[in-house]
Amino acid sequence: MSTDRTTEPLSFAYWVPNVSGGLVTSTIEQRTDWSFAYNRKLARLAERAGFDYALTQVRYTASYGAEFQHESTSFSLALLLATERLKLIAAVHPGLWHPGVLAKWVATADHLSGGRVAVNVVSGWFAGEFRQLGEPWLDHDERYRRTAEFITALKRIWTQDEANLAGDFYRIRDFSLKPKPLSWPGRPHPEIFQGGNSTAARRNGGQLSDWYFSNGKDFDGVREQLTELQRSAAEVGRADGPRFGLNGFVIVRDTEKEAQEQLREIIAKAHVEAVEGFGAAVKAAGQSTGDKTGMWADSSFEDLVQYNDGFRTRLIGTPEQVAERIVEYRKLGVDLILTGFLHYHEEVEQFGKQVLPIVRELEVKAGLDPSAVPDPGAGLTEPDLVLSVAG
């Protein structure tokens, strides 16, 4: 991965619907399904449409409309083996995974997929899942301290011959992992994603993670988060902070009026009890931070109908309007757009045909894509030519 991210094309990911209920908590029709057959077809459609990543969700207990769930890591591996280029990001929880066990799983999945696996380290917001499983529920900042140790452990196990860590949560002694994950220049180990809006989350993102995921934000919200991430990165001498991924729910229709009407219908048909139940849980998590800056701390009922504030990013309108707004986010420093859709199969394919070509054209015009300038190294950077096993 180049350190000059201003001349890299924007990446695109989608939320994998491996959890029932779709991506909005609404009784509106959602032509989506949590089954493997549906998701295998979706992954192949997304790959052909130009998507780079897919993010599997992780839920452990039936609740808030997510009554059925497929486990994230096993589901990710299945989708990796059903595709050729798509990268899968598996969501995992410290406290429910040990970093050494996860490091082993990732190494195997990386070899099986040719280096296409990544992890999203989720510090956790739902106390009920931990309590139902008999695991201790730490307060907010302690959860993020544990996550920092977890990420540090993963990196050491993946890159050192004998990994050691004497932490408050994990103690690792002379641990040797073989085979290690695949590596090549710019990718010393599988990519580590981490999200959250709190000060503790931004500190972890700025200092430790390869990628930082944000809930949906407008332009000002993105600027503010990027500034905080850069400040945290500078504190540890990190010259280039993490890449930035932004969540956005996409509604593309022939006219802006149709798109806005679709949004209003989604909200009008919101499952009130489920949204309020989810809101009560996540707002408690957001307000539990010392400075009240956690995820969902200021989310409205309408925001929470898309449970990661995806409406706030305002990717709603005609193909041209959505593409133009996406490129404005790119200019601010967003490296990836994490998308959700109402009707996945149809709309992922539509996005690839109608929106992505406009995005790429606008990137070239703005000088944000390497295709806009001569590349003296063209043809010499095929990953398959430089794959090696880190030792």
Side-chain angles (χ1 to χ4, degrees):
M1 291 179 287
S2 168
T3 56
D4 182 8
R5 283 146 44 180
T6 61
T7 56
E8 289 186 0
L10 186 68
S11 294
F12 288 88
Y14 72 91
W15 284 96
V16 175
N18 57 302
V19 171
S20 65
L23 266 287
V24 293
T25 309
S26 174
T27 60
I28 194 170
E29 180 190 14
Q30 298 184 68
R31 292 191 294 276
T32 183
D33 190 79
W34 60 285
S35 70
F36 177 65
Y38 180 93
N39 274 280
R40 178 175 54 200
K41 181 178 179 180
L42 172 59
R44 291 170 176 169
L45 282 170
E47 187 172 63
R48 290 196 297 270
F51 282 77
D52 307 282
Y53 295 88
L55 171 64
T56 52
Q57 307 170 62
V58 61
R59 295 288 293 275
Y60 296 96
T61 185
S63 61
Y64 305 136
E67 186 176 2
F68 300 98
Q69 313 107 22
H70 285 300
E71 191 275 326
S72 58
T73 60
S74 53
F75 209 74
S76 293
L77 182 55
L79 294 179
L80 283 167
L81 298 180
T83 53
E84 296 179 355
R85 297 179 305 280
L86 193 69
K87 290 173 271 193
L88 265 293
I89 311 163
V92 296
H93 278 84
L96 300 179
W97 277 93
H98 187 283
V101 176
L102 180 66
K104 186 74 171 179
W105 178 89
V106 169
T108 296
D110 210 43
H111 280 265
L112 292 175
S113 65
R116 291 187 289 126
V117 69
V119 292
N120 182 34
V121 182
V122 183
S123 297
W125 58 266
F126 190 15
E129 290 187 322
F130 279 72
R131 289 170 180 154
Q132 288 174 21
L133 292 170
E135 295 297 324
W137 179 247
L138 307 178
D139 69 28
H140 180 275
D141 287 358
E142 286 294 280
R143 294 199 301 278
Y144 279 89
R145 276 211 316 125
R146 178 172 60 190
T147 292
E149 285 190 14
F150 192 93
I151 292 173
T152 299
L154 287 178
K155 289 182 175 181
R156 290 183 184 178
I157 291 169
W158 285 337
T159 61
Q160 297 177 7
D161 288 337
E162 291 186 348
N164 286 274
L165 178 66
D168 292 334
F169 304 95
Y170 303 107
R171 285 157 292 284
I172 298 169
R173 300 180 181 87
D174 301 328
F175 184 77
S176 180
L177 175 68
K178 294 182 181 180
K180 297 200 183 300
L182 299 174
S183 67
W184 54 83
R187 197 236 196 203
H189 53 71
E191 293 168 296
I192 298 172
F193 291 71
Q194 180 255 317
N197 286 356
S198 68
T199 300
R202 298 177 200 187
R203 182 173 58 249
N204 279 358
Q207 297 182 358
L208 294 168
S209 304
D210 301 308
W211 286 88
Y212 177 86
F213 269 141
S214 171
N215 269 9
K217 294 286 181 184
D218 60 14
F219 296 143
D220 288 340
V222 167
R223 289 189 190 97
E224 187 262 339
Q225 292 218 28
L226 283 167
T227 298
E228 286 295 316
L229 288 168
Q230 291 163 3
R231 183 179 297 122
S232 293
E235 289 175 358
V236 293
R238 191 176 179 183
D240 196 14
R243 281 167 163 72
F244 189 93
L246 177 67
N247 181 60
F249 191 82
V250 179
I251 304 176
V252 174
R253 300 294 183 266
D254 291 338
T255 67
E256 182 180 7
K257 180 181 178 182
E258 289 175 302
Q260 293 295 340
E261 286 176 349
Q262 182 74 91
L263 174 62
R264 285 192 288 271
E265 184 183 2
I266 292 170
I267 294 172
K269 294 181 177 179
H271 191 301
V272 175
E273 183 180 357
V275 174
E276 290 180 345
F278 174 75
V282 298
K283 283 181 177 292
Q287 293 293 329
S288 69
T289 63
D291 53 6
K292 312 297 183 187
T293 61
M295 291 174 71
W296 304 288
D298 61 348
S299 299
S300 68
F301 177 92
E302 290 76 13
D303 294 331
L304 293 171
V305 175
Q306 203 293 304
Y307 44 80
N308 282 96
D309 290 342
F311 300 148
R312 285 187 169 193
T313 309
R314 309 302 296 175
L315 302 184
I316 300 164
T318 66
E320 293 78 12
Q321 288 172 322
V322 171
E324 288 167 2
R325 188 165 178 87
I326 285 171
V327 173
E328 290 305 310
Y329 278 115
R330 180 71 188 98
K331 291 176 182 177
L332 292 178
V334 172
D335 300 288
L336 177 149
I337 299 291
L338 173 59
T339 60
F341 300 90
L342 201 60
H343 311 304
Y344 261 98
H345 283 177
E346 303 97 304
E347 294 189 36
V348 160
E349 193 168 27
Q350 175 198 33
F351 189 86
K353 290 178 178 178
Q354 296 183 1
V355 179
L356 271 179
I358 302 174
V359 170
R360 298 310 182 201
E361 181 181 351
L362 292 173
E363 284 182 307
V364 170
K365 288 181 179 178
L368 298 171
D369 189 293
S371 62
V373 294
D375 180 7
L380 301 177
T381 58
E382 208 35 67
D384 290 342
L385 300 178
V386 295
L387 284 179
S388 64
V389 178

